[in-house]
Amino acid sequence: MSDPLPNTVNLILGRKHCGKTPYIVGDTKHNITGIIPSYVIKGMKVLIVDEVYHPSYSHIPVITRDQVANWKVNAGGVYRCVEPDEEGMIELKRIIKKHFWNGAVVFEDAFRHESGQLSKLMRGIVGNNKNFNVDVFFMYHAWPHVPNKLLGYLDYIEMYKTKTEPGPREAKEFADEFEQVLKTDQEVRNNPDPHFHKSVCVTQV
């Protein structure tokens, strides 16, 4: 694969307990670094967004929506913001869209608040990420859970084992890249390691 693209929109796809969260935070027991250090070393920020207090992120400090809004543009740090109710999550997305610069935002278990049709706020976040120097990561358990409109914004998919396969919807959206998506999906499925994963670039050139 060629050099990674800047300011990407990423899908981390896999069933529960396959290793998606260690891909973000790392796992010293299994010698997994995770993506967070790659931002920290550059002095960039990382924000984990969730609706529940996920135990795998318990070591990461929690901040409020107001603190996200007041996070200085060039300040680094790794934090999480938990919004269990719908109105709070909508307001947090509005803040991210307007105020989050220079880093990565991770939407943990995004199906809880982004399914079916991609919300207007989220379209604003992923559609403007390059201007804000932001990488966006979405975690989903299965292909049908991924909103239709999100597929067209994706640059990379980190594929773990799932109970579903890419189908006609994905074939239409990924066009020339769909063959590689299928090939990667089969490679992941056929690997006996339950935590095996592989990245595929789906950016339309």
Side-chain angles (χ1 to χ4, degrees):
M1 187 171 67
S2 58
D3 291 338
L5 300 167
N7 309 136
T8 55
V9 179
N10 306 268
L11 170 63
I12 307 173
L13 185 72
R15 62 195 181 195
K16 291 183 178 180
H17 310 301
C18 67
K20 299 188 301 300
T21 302
Y23 178 81
I24 300 295
V25 300
D27 185 341
T28 54
K29 183 178 178 180
H30 295 94
N31 198 30
I32 299 172
T33 303
I35 67 167
I36 289 178
S38 66
Y39 295 94
V40 172
I41 199 172
K42 299 174 186 176
M44 302 175 78
K45 54 176 65 79
V46 178
L47 178 66
I48 311 294
V49 175
D50 204 350
E51 284 192 334
V52 298
Y53 288 90
H54 196 303
S56 295
Y57 299 105
S58 60
H59 62 292
I60 297 177
V62 176
I63 59 175
T64 65
R65 294 195 306 267
D66 288 343
Q67 288 175 301
V68 175
N70 292 317
W71 205 342
K72 293 182 179 179
V73 171
N74 293 317
V78 181
Y79 297 96
R80 55 183 173 141
C81 190
V82 180
E83 288 293 346
D85 65 273
E86 183 178 359
E87 289 185 4
M89 182 61 74
I90 290 172
E91 181 58 27
L92 177 57
K93 291 174 186 176
R94 188 175 289 114
I95 288 169
I96 292 170
K97 178 177 178 289
K98 186 176 181 180
H99 297 286
F100 191 85
W101 292 73
N102 301 326
V105 57
V106 179
F107 292 96
E108 167 72 41
D109 203 354
F111 182 66
R112 296 175 184 270
H113 53 86
E114 288 287 342
S115 59
Q117 296 300 321
L118 197 66
S119 70
K120 184 178 180 180
L121 277 173
M122 191 61 81
R123 293 199 303 272
I125 292 171
V126 297
N128 208 29
N129 72 311
K130 289 178 173 54
N131 292 332
F132 281 68
N133 191 29
V134 171
D135 292 330
V136 188
F137 295 84
F138 296 90
M139 291 190 185
Y140 283 94
H141 293 147
W143 285 105
H145 294 175
V146 183
N148 294 329
K149 293 293 184 181
L150 179 57
L151 295 172
Y153 287 104
L154 294 177
D155 295 300
Y156 291 101
I157 306 172
E158 194 69 30
M159 299 179 68
Y160 291 80
K161 296 183 187 298
T162 71
K163 295 181 180 179
T164 61
E165 299 181 30
R169 182 186 68 151
E170 289 75 28
K172 179 180 179 181
E173 201 62 58
F174 296 142
D176 294 342
E177 309 302 327
F178 183 63
E179 183 176 347
Q180 188 60 39
V181 170
L182 280 178
K183 181 179 178 181
T184 304
D185 178 72
Q186 287 302 312
E187 183 178 348
V188 171
R189 287 178 185 281
N190 293 335
N191 193 294
D193 181 353
H195 300 108
F196 179 77
H197 58 102
K198 189 172 183 178
S199 179
V200 57
C201 179
V202 293
T203 303
Q204 300 294 314
V205 180

